[in-house]
Amino acid sequence: MKKFDKYQYYENSVQTPSEHVFIFNQMFQEIRNRKPYSLREDFCGTFLISCEWAKSDPKRTALGLDLDPEPTQYGFEHGYRKLSPSVRRRVKIKNQDVCVPTPKSPVDVIG
C-alpha cells in the first residue's frame, strides 16, 4: 500500500504555482508598469511558488518564509532538488516568523 503523502495532496489541491506567477506578474506590471523580479512567499510551506517564480525568469529571486520546518524540508526533498543549480541559487528559504522583518532590501511581490 502506498504511503499517504499529505504534502503531495496539499500541492495538488491548493497550489497552482504557474497561475500564481502569472497573476503576480500581471498585477505588478499593471500597477508599477515594469516587470517584477523579487518575490517573498510568506507561509511558503513546500515553497512550490517560490521555485516556479525563480524558474520563470533568470533574473528572478525568491525568498520563502515559514515557521514549520516539516513542509519546507519536504520542499527541499521533492521540489528544490529538481531545480537547476542556477535556479537553486536564486531561491532562499528561512524557517522564521513572517512578522519578523527580513534584513534584505524590499521585494517587488509578497505572496
Side-chain angles (χ1 to χ4, degrees):
M1 186 172 163
K2 187 178 176 184
K3 181 183 170 196
F4 175 74
D5 186 341
K6 67 182 175 183
Y7 294 115
Q8 180 183 17
Y9 282 99
Y10 164 74
E11 288 180 342
N12 290 338
S13 64
V14 302
Q15 296 278 293
T16 52
S18 61
E19 289 297 316
H20 280 80
V21 169
F22 176 80
I23 291 167
F24 293 160
N25 187 59
Q26 186 175 24
M27 290 177 69
F28 188 87
Q29 285 193 32
E30 286 178 16
I31 294 167
R32 298 285 185 196
N33 205 26
R34 70 174 177 86
K35 191 172 181 176
Y37 290 106
S38 56
L39 167 74
R40 185 177 115 173
E41 183 184 1
D42 288 354
F43 310 102
C44 68
T46 62
F47 60 95
L48 197 57
I49 295 169
S50 290
C51 292
E52 187 69 23
W53 179 265
K55 286 187 329 187
S56 71
D57 188 295
K59 294 180 182 177
R60 285 190 165 157
T61 61
L63 170 63
L65 304 176
D66 201 296
L67 275 176
D68 191 349
E70 184 181 317
T72 57
Q73 185 60 40
Y74 179 92
F76 279 112
E77 293 170 4
H78 293 88
Y80 184 82
R81 288 184 179 170
K82 296 176 185 176
L83 300 175
S84 70
S86 65
V87 175
R88 274 188 243 142
R89 283 191 290 275
R90 295 182 282 111
V91 176
K92 304 293 182 226
I93 305 303
K94 293 184 178 186
N95 290 117
Q96 75 175 49
D97 187 337
V98 299
C99 295
V100 174
T102 53
K104 285 196 93 110
S105 59
V107 294
D108 292 329
V109 177
I110 297 177

PDB file of all heavy atoms in Angstrom, residues 54 58 60 83-91:
ATOM      1  N   ALA A  54      11.266  31.529  -9.505  1.00  0.00           N
ATOM      2  CA  ALA A  54      12.675  31.582  -9.899  1.00  0.00           C
ATOM      3  C   ALA A  54      12.898  30.927 -11.264  1.00  0.00           C
ATOM      4  O   ALA A  54      13.737  31.387 -12.040  1.00  0.00           O
ATOM      5  CB  ALA A  54      13.549  30.930  -8.837  1.00  0.00           C
ATOM      6  N   PRO A  58      15.445  34.181 -15.488  1.00  0.00           N
ATOM      7  CA  PRO A  58      16.779  34.063 -14.878  1.00  0.00           C
ATOM      8  C   PRO A  58      17.172  35.243 -13.994  1.00  0.00           C
ATOM      9  O   PRO A  58      18.158  35.156 -13.263  1.00  0.00           O
ATOM     10  CB  PRO A  58      17.726  33.940 -16.075  1.00  0.00           C
ATOM     11  CG  PRO A  58      16.946  34.350 -17.262  1.00  0.00           C
ATOM     12  CD  PRO A  58      15.497  34.203 -16.944  1.00  0.00           C
ATOM     13  N   ARG A  60      14.975  36.466 -11.730  1.00  0.00           N
ATOM     14  CA  ARG A  60      14.070  36.439 -10.578  1.00  0.00           C
ATOM     15  C   ARG A  60      14.670  35.713  -9.388  1.00  0.00           C
ATOM     16  O   ARG A  60      15.320  34.683  -9.516  1.00  0.00           O
ATOM     17  CB  ARG A  60      12.740  35.804 -10.969  1.00  0.00           C
ATOM     18  CG  ARG A  60      11.909  36.741 -11.801  1.00  0.00           C
ATOM     19  CD  ARG A  60      10.517  36.244 -11.988  1.00  0.00           C
ATOM     20  NE  ARG A  60       9.691  37.351 -12.470  1.00  0.00           N
ATOM     21  CZ  ARG A  60       8.568  37.202 -13.145  1.00  0.00           C
ATOM     22  NH1 ARG A  60       8.115  35.993 -13.407  1.00  0.00           N
ATOM     23  NH2 ARG A  60       7.884  38.254 -13.537  1.00  0.00           N
ATOM     24  N   LEU A  83      15.391  21.481  -9.304  1.00  0.00           N
ATOM     25  CA  LEU A  83      15.768  22.729  -9.963  1.00  0.00           C
ATOM     26  C   LEU A  83      17.213  22.676 -10.443  1.00  0.00           C
ATOM     27  O   LEU A  83      18.047  22.006  -9.838  1.00  0.00           O
ATOM     28  CB  LEU A  83      15.615  23.907  -8.993  1.00  0.00           C
ATOM     29  CG  LEU A  83      14.234  24.161  -8.417  1.00  0.00           C
ATOM     30  CD1 LEU A  83      14.300  25.282  -7.381  1.00  0.00           C
ATOM     31  CD2 LEU A  83      13.235  24.498  -9.515  1.00  0.00           C
ATOM     32  N   SER A  84      17.498  23.413 -11.481  1.00  0.00           N
ATOM     33  CA  SER A  84      18.886  23.511 -11.942  1.00  0.00           C
ATOM     34  C   SER A  84      19.687  24.290 -10.895  1.00  0.00           C
ATOM     35  O   SER A  84      19.117  25.067 -10.122  1.00  0.00           O
ATOM     36  CB  SER A  84      18.951  24.225 -13.288  1.00  0.00           C
ATOM     37  OG  SER A  84      18.628  25.593 -13.119  1.00  0.00           O
ATOM     38  N   PRO A  85      20.998  24.109 -10.868  1.00  0.00           N
ATOM     39  CA  PRO A  85      21.817  24.846  -9.896  1.00  0.00           C
ATOM     40  C   PRO A  85      21.650  26.367  -9.999  1.00  0.00           C
ATOM     41  O   PRO A  85      21.636  27.059  -8.977  1.00  0.00           O
ATOM     42  CB  PRO A  85      23.249  24.417 -10.231  1.00  0.00           C
ATOM     43  CG  PRO A  85      23.097  23.063 -10.829  1.00  0.00           C
ATOM     44  CD  PRO A  85      21.809  23.127 -11.609  1.00  0.00           C
ATOM     45  N   SER A  86      21.507  26.887 -11.202  1.00  0.00           N
ATOM     46  CA  SER A  86      21.361  28.344 -11.348  1.00  0.00           C
ATOM     47  C   SER A  86      20.048  28.839 -10.748  1.00  0.00           C
ATOM     48  O   SER A  86      19.994  29.940 -10.201  1.00  0.00           O
ATOM     49  CB  SER A  86      21.470  28.761 -12.814  1.00  0.00           C
ATOM     50  OG  SER A  86      20.396  28.239 -13.558  1.00  0.00           O
ATOM     51  N   VAL A  87      19.005  28.038 -10.836  1.00  0.00           N
ATOM     52  CA  VAL A  87      17.721  28.419 -10.230  1.00  0.00           C
ATOM     53  C   VAL A  87      17.805  28.266  -8.712  1.00  0.00           C
ATOM     54  O   VAL A  87      17.350  29.129  -7.973  1.00  0.00           O
ATOM     55  CB  VAL A  87      16.553  27.595 -10.813  1.00  0.00           C
ATOM     56  CG1 VAL A  87      15.249  27.901 -10.088  1.00  0.00           C
ATOM     57  CG2 VAL A  87      16.407  27.860 -12.309  1.00  0.00           C
ATOM     58  N   ARG A  88      18.407  27.183  -8.239  1.00  0.00           N
ATOM     59  CA  ARG A  88      18.540  26.962  -6.791  1.00  0.00           C
ATOM     60  C   ARG A  88      19.241  28.119  -6.092  1.00  0.00           C
ATOM     61  O   ARG A  88      18.866  28.486  -4.985  1.00  0.00           O
ATOM     62  CB  ARG A  88      19.328  25.680  -6.512  1.00  0.00           C
ATOM     63  CG  ARG A  88      18.466  24.461  -6.501  1.00  0.00           C
ATOM     64  CD  ARG A  88      19.247  23.265  -6.022  1.00  0.00           C
ATOM     65  NE  ARG A  88      19.257  22.345  -7.139  1.00  0.00           N
ATOM     66  CZ  ARG A  88      20.274  21.581  -7.497  1.00  0.00           C
ATOM     67  NH1 ARG A  88      21.395  21.608  -6.826  1.00  0.00           N
ATOM     68  NH2 ARG A  88      20.178  20.797  -8.523  1.00  0.00           N
ATOM     69  N   ARG A  89      20.223  28.696  -6.737  1.00  0.00           N
ATOM     70  CA  ARG A  89      20.953  29.816  -6.130  1.00  0.00           C
ATOM     71  C   ARG A  89      20.046  31.031  -5.912  1.00  0.00           C
ATOM     72  O   ARG A  89      20.360  31.892  -5.090  1.00  0.00           O
ATOM     73  CB  ARG A  89      22.132  30.226  -7.012  1.00  0.00           C
ATOM     74  CG  ARG A  89      23.314  29.298  -6.904  1.00  0.00           C
ATOM     75  CD  ARG A  89      24.554  29.864  -7.576  1.00  0.00           C
ATOM     76  NE  ARG A  89      24.463  29.899  -9.028  1.00  0.00           N
ATOM     77  CZ  ARG A  89      24.755  28.873  -9.829  1.00  0.00           C
ATOM     78  NH1 ARG A  89      25.173  27.735  -9.312  1.00  0.00           N
ATOM     79  NH2 ARG A  89      24.649  28.986 -11.136  1.00  0.00           N
ATOM     80  N   ARG A  90      18.939  31.099  -6.619  1.00  0.00           N
ATOM     81  CA  ARG A  90      18.048  32.256  -6.519  1.00  0.00           C
ATOM     82  C   ARG A  90      16.826  32.000  -5.636  1.00  0.00           C
ATOM     83  O   ARG A  90      15.946  32.846  -5.533  1.00  0.00           O
ATOM     84  CB  ARG A  90      17.623  32.698  -7.918  1.00  0.00           C
ATOM     85  CG  ARG A  90      18.822  33.203  -8.719  1.00  0.00           C
ATOM     86  CD  ARG A  90      18.475  33.706 -10.100  1.00  0.00           C
ATOM     87  NE  ARG A  90      18.261  32.597 -11.044  1.00  0.00           N
ATOM     88  CZ  ARG A  90      17.100  32.264 -11.578  1.00  0.00           C
ATOM     89  NH1 ARG A  90      16.019  32.938 -11.308  1.00  0.00           N
ATOM     90  NH2 ARG A  90      17.014  31.246 -12.419  1.00  0.00           N
ATOM     91  N   VAL A  91      16.776  30.842  -4.985  1.00  0.00           N
ATOM     92  CA  VAL A  91      15.688  30.505  -4.067  1.00  0.00           C
ATOM     93  C   VAL A  91      16.275  30.345  -2.671  1.00  0.00           C
ATOM     94  O   VAL A  91      17.116  29.481  -2.440  1.00  0.00           O
ATOM     95  CB  VAL A  91      14.969  29.199  -4.487  1.00  0.00           C
ATOM     96  CG1 VAL A  91      13.903  28.812  -3.468  1.00  0.00           C
ATOM     97  CG2 VAL A  91      14.370  29.337  -5.881  1.00  0.00           C
TER      98      VAL A  91
END
